Amino acid sequence: FCTDFLPFTLSRIGTPDTCIAFLILLQFAMMWHILARVEQREETQRCLKISDLVWLFLCAVLCGISVAVKWTGVFASLGIITAYILYFIRQKRRIRIQALVAGAVCFAVFPVLIYTLAFWPVASSLGYSSAFSAMIGRSLAMWNFHKGIVFSHAYASAWYTWPLDLKPLVDISTVIGETKVSTVATFGNPLLWWCSVPAFFLLLYRALYRKER
């Protein structure tokens, strides 16, 4: 994370993407910790203990915070929930029901609650009667804005070119004097990003064909 050019550039130009990336990494680390704790127990003794539920609650809280920071957190949260369901759906009936009920409560209640509370400080100043009405109103406004926006420029970079760094996104370019140009570009570290493509397919092969968890 610290050796990649992308988060370094985004942190310098002041976008929230570095914050959301940190929250997403923390979410996945917490979910891995929960599943690893359960996996280490004997199969007949597997259940969600109080400490596991605390970690699950914290993971759900992070899901809510990440979505409140940027809607990109929705996709990470869906990945977290999918991993959770796929793991526990293969367990014995008793722990399966316990885990799915606990997960449904945590991930259906707390992220929505936190996302709604994020609008509470600005609700009255924006003319809304409550945080809930502010959440609905501003979320619809953001959705409609991004849904209808049509904007392109010569320095744009198509999303499918990102993994191979085919065309870096130029954020700003300023002419300095007669012979110099100052440019800020957003792109990943080629050493990391180029290696990530074969690594992804290797991971997919080991998960699907060799059944490695």
Side-chain angles (χ1 to χ4, degrees):
F1 187 75
C2 297
T3 58
D4 193 10
F5 304 153
L6 182 63
F8 178 79
T9 304
L10 294 176
S11 65
R12 299 284 75 78
I13 63 178
T15 68
D17 297 87
T18 49
C19 297
I20 190 68
F22 173 74
L23 291 170
I24 289 173
L25 289 173
L26 203 54
Q27 284 176 235
F28 276 93
M30 282 193 176
M31 181 54 66
W32 178 86
H33 180 67
I34 294 169
L35 301 184
R37 285 167 59 94
V38 176
E39 184 69 18
Q40 289 173 357
R41 297 167 190 151
E42 295 292 336
E43 189 172 356
T44 56
Q45 299 178 352
R46 286 180 184 172
C47 65
L48 287 179
K49 298 182 179 180
I50 298 297
S51 56
D52 300 324
L53 294 176
V54 171
W55 282 107
L56 188 63
F57 165 75
L58 293 175
C59 187
V61 168
L62 282 175
C63 287
I65 296 174
S66 65
V67 175
V69 171
K70 193 173 182 179
W71 283 0
T72 310
V74 172
F75 301 104
S77 299
L78 290 176
I80 289 287
I81 295 170
T82 301
Y84 182 84
I85 292 174
L86 289 178
Y87 176 80
F88 282 107
I89 205 169
R90 297 177 300 182
Q91 303 300 320
K92 291 185 177 296
R93 186 174 184 273
R94 180 175 61 86
I95 184 176
R96 182 170 68 242
I97 294 176
Q98 178 201 30
L100 294 179
V101 170
V105 171
C106 285
F107 291 109
V109 175
F110 296 112
V112 176
L113 178 62
I114 292 172
Y115 179 72
T116 302
L117 289 176
F119 291 87
W120 173 68
V122 297
S124 59
S125 62
L126 294 175
Y128 293 97
S129 59
S130 65
F132 180 77
S133 60
M135 182 270 289
I136 297 295
R138 301 318 301 169
S139 296
L140 288 175
M142 288 185 285
W143 171 264
N144 290 328
F145 172 79
H146 289 285
K147 182 180 66 172
I149 192 171
V150 178
F151 181 76
S152 62
H153 56 85
Y155 302 111
S157 177
W159 64 268
Y160 51 82
T161 67
W162 296 348
L164 296 178
D165 280 336
L166 297 182
K167 184 181 179 182
L169 169 66
V170 177
D171 298 293
I172 187 172
S173 182
T174 305
V175 177
I176 303 177
E178 297 181 355
T179 59
K180 296 181 180 180
V181 176
S182 174
T183 301
V184 176
T186 300
F187 62 99
N189 184 338
L191 179 62
L192 299 178
W193 286 48
W194 291 349
C195 292
S196 70
V197 176
F200 170 78
F201 288 106
L202 176 61
L203 180 64
L204 200 62
Y205 166 77
R206 294 177 63 174
L208 296 179
Y209 292 96
R210 298 183 60 181
K211 305 299 182 182
E212 295 183 7
R213 291 187 293 176

